[in-house]
Amino acid sequence: MIKGFSSHEMGRIALGTHIGDFSKEDSEKYVQAMMHALQNGIDTIDGAINYRGMCSEIDEGIAINSLINSGKLRREDIFITSKAGLLFGDIQAGMNPKKYLSKILEPNGISQEDFVEYEGLYQTLNPKFYEIAINKSLENLNLETLDVHYIHIPEISRIRLAPDEFYDKMEVLFHWYEEKVKEGKIRNYGLAVELMVEEPDERKWHFEIEEMKKRADKIVNGKSHFRYVLFDYNVLCDSGRTVANQTVDGKQVSLIDACHELGIETVASMPFAMGDGFKNHTLGEMLEFALNNMDHVIVGSKNPKHIDEIIEAYRRYMR
């Protein structure tokens, strides 16, 4: 297992690993794309244990370990993130999510009742689940430490809980995360939200970032490692900037402003709106739109040519 962690902060551009199927062909493409990106200007890879039934993390592990073992990069050159919270499967072991639940999770005290379902996604805030997930992610990646680990779409669990119950459960989970920092399994953690920005007026998804930060900071005397909030942000989904549905120090502010006022970094997912943005905008326009408002932007691609276009557009933006 490769020891260490990144010597730098998250890159402004990260390569995402969500898109694709479970095929060997897509895995081969991802391995080559990640190796290409990491050697040509992108130093951050964003993943999740549930992406492509763990295939994405396994592909990441192959790419990262190949570059490090060949001496082309060092562990400190690469910033690696992952996520947990959604029920996942293991395609290579022949287990879909429900089989993984019965064969792996239930014997470890995690039941169907721990999850809240929404449109086929099953989300939990049970720390026992995160313990299994993070250990499996580290195994998939063959790494000792993740630079960031996110709680994946926690607002799904929010719909079943009263606000205080939800924050209490999040506080317990934050306590678990701070323990993982002490153990050296992660450096920082954050939230990866989706429904809260896609449907910003729906109160059932809503929670306050300020309260989250207070709960995390309370655990370690104001010095928590809760540092990132990831969410959809693009020309077709800009509520993170345009909707003032957060409260900080009694003022109504946008999600982006709330994060920045609280010292939390923002990470944009889906900057090209799953390809829909190309109908009316260029790649450069959409990347600029995201970079103008967000601290970091995740671009999803397994095509080296597309990755080169993104890198060139980013370099033009930075000039």
Side-chain angles (χ1 to χ4, degrees):
M1 186 168 282
I2 293 173
K3 298 182 182 297
F5 44 81
S6 176
S7 63
H8 54 77
E9 297 302 314
M10 183 185 294
R12 289 216 68 195
I13 299 289
L15 183 66
T17 58
H18 177 262
I19 300 167
D21 57 33
F22 308 132
S23 69
K24 288 184 179 180
E25 181 183 7
D26 267 11
S27 285
E28 289 170 1
K29 287 179 180 178
Y30 259 124
V31 170
Q32 293 304 313
M34 285 185 273
M35 291 178 69
H36 181 80
L38 288 169
Q39 294 178 94
N40 288 279
I42 293 177
D43 57 24
T44 300
I45 304 291
D46 177 82
I49 194 166
N50 64 297
Y51 287 174
R52 302 173 53 242
M54 288 197 210
C55 289
S56 287
E57 280 196 336
I58 292 168
D59 297 341
E60 282 183 69
I62 293 170
I64 293 164
N65 282 261
S66 176
L67 290 170
I68 292 174
N69 292 334
S70 66
K72 293 177 180 177
L73 289 174
R74 304 165 300 168
R75 173 64 183 94
E76 53 263 42
D77 298 323
I78 308 170
F79 195 102
I80 303 297
T81 79
S82 190
K83 311 175 190 72
L86 301 181
L87 182 61
F88 57 87
D90 184 343
I91 293 300
Q92 293 194 2
M95 288 188 283
N96 64 24
K98 291 201 172 180
K99 190 171 183 181
Y100 201 89
L101 175 64
S102 64
K103 295 288 187 180
I104 306 296
L105 301 180
E106 287 181 348
N108 284 282
I110 302 159
S111 71
Q112 178 80 47
E113 287 66 42
D114 287 305
F115 293 85
V116 178
E117 187 271 339
Y118 177 74
E119 294 190 348
L121 297 175
Y122 293 80
Q123 208 279 341
T124 183
L125 302 178
N126 185 344
K128 290 182 180 178
F129 174 84
Y130 289 77
E131 185 72 31
I132 291 170
I134 200 167
N135 288 332
K136 189 63 179 176
S137 288
L138 292 170
E139 178 187 322
N140 290 339
L141 295 161
N142 193 38
L143 297 179
E144 182 182 70
T145 305
L146 286 165
D147 295 294
V148 179
H149 198 259
Y150 297 99
I151 301 168
H152 208 174
I153 320 185
E155 61 264 45
I156 292 177
S157 285
R158 167 72 178 86
I159 61 177
R160 186 187 287 178
L161 302 168
D164 285 346
E165 292 177 292
F166 175 70
Y167 292 126
D168 287 348
K169 283 183 176 290
M170 290 298 294
E171 185 176 330
V172 171
L173 189 49
F174 288 160
H175 190 278
W176 176 86
Y177 269 101
E178 292 295 340
E179 289 299 314
K180 297 306 110 178
V181 173
K182 291 178 184 177
E183 292 172 17
K185 290 187 175 181
I186 62 168
R187 294 176 61 215
N188 296 289
Y189 59 95
L191 307 175
V193 303
E194 186 173 309
L195 301 163
M196 193 167 79
V197 292
E198 291 179 355
E199 300 178 8
D201 298 323
E202 282 282 356
R203 296 301 297 176
K204 65 184 178 182
W205 308 127
H206 184 76
F207 58 81
E208 294 287 337
I209 297 297
E210 182 181 49
E211 182 64 20
M212 292 289 201
K213 186 70 162 56
K214 287 179 179 177
R215 296 293 184 112
D217 284 350
K218 183 174 75 171
I219 296 164
V220 283
N221 297 317
K223 297 181 180 179
S224 77
H225 293 81
F226 170 37
R227 286 194 54 199
Y228 297 90
V229 176
L230 182 158
F231 52 91
D232 301 5
Y233 187 76
N234 55 62
V235 292
L236 302 181
C237 180
D238 63 355
S239 68
R241 166 59 69 201
T242 60
V243 179
N245 59 359
Q246 291 286 319
T247 305
V248 178
D249 290 333
K251 300 180 297 182
Q252 290 296 116
V253 296
S254 70
L255 178 57
I256 290 173
D257 287 338
C259 289
H260 288 162
E261 288 187 33
L262 294 164
I264 297 168
E265 296 184 38
T266 57
V267 185
S269 62
M270 293 193 274
F272 308 132
M274 296 296 287
D276 290 341
F278 287 107
K279 295 174 184 176
N280 296 302
H281 303 275
T282 67
L283 183 152
E285 288 170 345
M286 289 186 286
L287 193 61
E288 181 177 355
F289 180 86
L291 288 166
N292 281 345
N293 288 285
M294 303 288 283
D295 298 308
H296 313 278
V297 177
I298 302 168
V299 294
S301 181
K302 52 184 182 291
N303 183 331
K305 183 179 178 182
H306 185 223
I307 291 169
D308 285 341
E309 291 171 353
I310 292 166
I311 292 169
E312 180 54 34
Y314 173 64
R315 287 173 176 163
R316 286 198 303 270
Y317 172 83
M318 293 299 292
R319 285 177 193 145

